[in-house]
Amino acid sequence: MGAQFNDRSYACRSMRIDLHTHSTASDGTTPPAVLMREARDAGLDVVALVDHDTTAGWATAVEALPAGLTLVRGAEISCTTVVEGRTVSLHLLAYLFDPEEPAFAARRLALRDSRLGRAQAMVRLLAADGVDVSWEQVRARAGGVVGRPHIASALMAAGLVATVSDAFTPEWIGTRGRYWVGKLELDVLDALRLVRGAGGLPVFAHPFAASRGRIVGDDVVRAMAAAGLAGLEVDHPDHDEVARARARQLALELDLVPTGSSDYHGANKVQGLGAETTTPAAYDALLALGSALDPVHG
Ligand code: AMP
Ligand code: ZN
Ligand code: FE
Ligand code: FE
C-alpha cells in the first residue's frame, strides 16, 4: 500500500466516495431514505451509513437506494482507551459486518441502553439547575439512538445556545463539562475483536481531531493495527493539515487503508455530504480485505 492512494485518477475513474455519514437513526437530522437521495444529488457514487452504535437505518437506506449509488452499511462504535492513566474516548467505524453476529450485537445493544440512561441523567442535571429543557423535548428530537446533539438541539430551541456546536463547551455538555454525563464505551481492542469477529472492517474515525479532546499517541494506533485495524480516517473535517499528514504517514507505515469522509450529520454540523472523500484505490483496498457483507448497488 502506499502512493497509489493519493492518485485520484486511479484506473481512470472519478468516483466520489464518502464513507462516514449519520442519519436520524442516531444523531444526524436526515432520515436514511432522504440521505440516500441527497447523497446521489450531491454526486456521490458510494456512501457509507454509519450511525452511532446501531444498524437501525440500514433497511430503509437499502430500500431507498437510488440507481447509481452504492451503499456501504456500517456503524460508528463508541470506544475508549487509557492514555497515561486517563480514559480517552475514541470512535471506531465498522463496515460491512454481520448485524446478527450475537457477541457484537449484544454490545451495541448495551451501548444504546447506556446512552438512553445517560441522556436522561443529563436532562436531570440541567433541570436541577433550572435549565428549561425537558426529556420530552430531547426524546422528540431523537429518532433512534440518543446522543448529545439531541440535547444540544433542545438547548438551541430554548434559546440557550446559538448553534448545536455551541453546546459542546465546558459550560454545557462538552466532554466533562458542567452537564455532561459519561456513557458506556467499549475498550477499543475489545471492539476491534468484536468487529473482526462479526466479519467487519474496522477503521479508526478522526484519530487526531484536536477539537474532540485528548489525542491518542502513535502507540495506540500501533496496538490497534496489531489487533486488526483495517484503516485510518485521514481526511476528516476535524483534522487540520498536521493531523492529516500524521495520519497519512502512520497509515503508510502500518499498512492501513487511508480513508476520507465528511462525517455528515445534516443540520447538526456544518460539513456537507462529500466534503471529504476516499480515493477509489483506498476503497478498493478496503473491500479487498474481505467482509461478511458486500456493498449494495442501487
Ligand atoms: P455522544 O455520542 O452522545 O457523546 O455525542 C457525541 C456526538 O456529538 C458525536 O457524534 C459528535 O459528532 C457530535 N459532536 C461532538 N462535538 C460536536 C460539536 N462541536 N458540534 C456538533 N456536534 C458535535
Ligand atoms: Zn454523531
Ligand atoms: Fe465520530
Ligand atoms: Fe461520526
Side-chain angles (χ1 to χ4, degrees), residues 20 22 27 50 52 76-77 90-93 205-206 212 233 236 238 263 265 269:
H20 188 160
H22 297 269
D27 58 9
V50 290
H52 296 280
E76 185 172 15
I77 307 301
L90 40 90
H91 289 171
L92 193 66
L93 298 165
H206 43 75
R212 292 165 180 266
E233 202 174 49
H236 183 281
D238 292 354
D263 202 354
H265 278 71
K269 282 196 181 176

Side-chain angles (χ1 to χ4, degrees), residues 27-269:
D27 58 9
T29 60
T30 314
V34 179
L35 181 61
M36 293 304 109
R37 289 195 287 278
E38 279 188 11
R40 194 63 188 132
D41 291 347
L44 292 178
D45 301 285
V46 180
V47 69
L49 178 65
V50 290
D51 277 304
H52 296 280
D53 307 323
T54 188
T55 63
W58 287 10
T60 38
V62 169
E63 246 169 70
L65 202 57
L69 182 65
T70 293
L71 172 66
V72 173
R73 290 164 288 177
E76 185 172 15
I77 307 301
S78 310
C79 298
T80 57
T81 192
V82 176
V83 176
E84 290 161 11
R86 280 189 54 190
T87 299
V88 178
S89 294
L90 40 90
H91 289 171
L92 193 66
L93 298 165
Y95 297 114
L96 301 169
F97 58 87
D98 172 6
E100 313 268 314
E101 191 283 320
F104 188 30
R107 296 312 281 155
R108 291 196 303 279
L109 180 61
L111 291 171
R112 295 195 296 273
D113 278 352
S114 163
R115 282 175 163 279
L116 190 60
R118 163 275 197 150
Q120 288 167 330
M122 287 171 72
V123 170
R124 280 197 299 274
L125 280 183
L126 287 160
D129 245 8
V131 179
D132 191 18
V133 165
S134 70
W135 173 242
E136 278 61 44
Q137 288 166 337
V138 173
R139 196 179 51 185
R141 287 170 164 74
V145 171
V146 64
R148 277 184 285 171
H150 301 119
I151 300 174
S153 166
L155 288 168
M156 191 173 85
L160 295 162
V161 295
T163 66
V164 165
S165 284
D166 286 345
F168 283 82
T169 59
E171 301 79 58
W172 293 104
I173 58 170
T175 302
R176 296 188 183 78
R178 185 159 180 181
Y179 302 106
W180 171 84
V181 176
K183 64 181 190 298
L184 176 66
E185 294 168 319
L186 307 183
D187 174 85
V188 75
L189 298 185
D190 290 341
L192 283 162
R193 281 186 278 273
L194 286 164
V195 174
R196 284 291 192 179
L201 298 167
V203 172
F204 189 177
H206 43 75
F208 304 133
S211 57
R212 292 165 180 266
R214 202 180 168 90
I215 294 177
V216 300
D218 290 3
D219 54 328
V220 170
V221 183
R222 280 181 220 289
M224 288 170 68
L229 188 68
L232 264 193
E233 202 174 49
V234 170
D235 292 308
H236 183 281
D238 292 354
H239 275 177
D240 60 17
E241 285 310 318
V242 174
R244 288 168 201 240
R246 182 178 164 201
R248 207 178 300 283
Q249 177 56 36
L250 206 52
L252 200 62
E253 212 178 292
L254 297 173
D255 205 22
L256 300 170
V257 177
T259 68
S261 301
S262 67
D263 202 354
Y264 181 70
H265 278 71
N268 276 345
K269 282 196 181 176

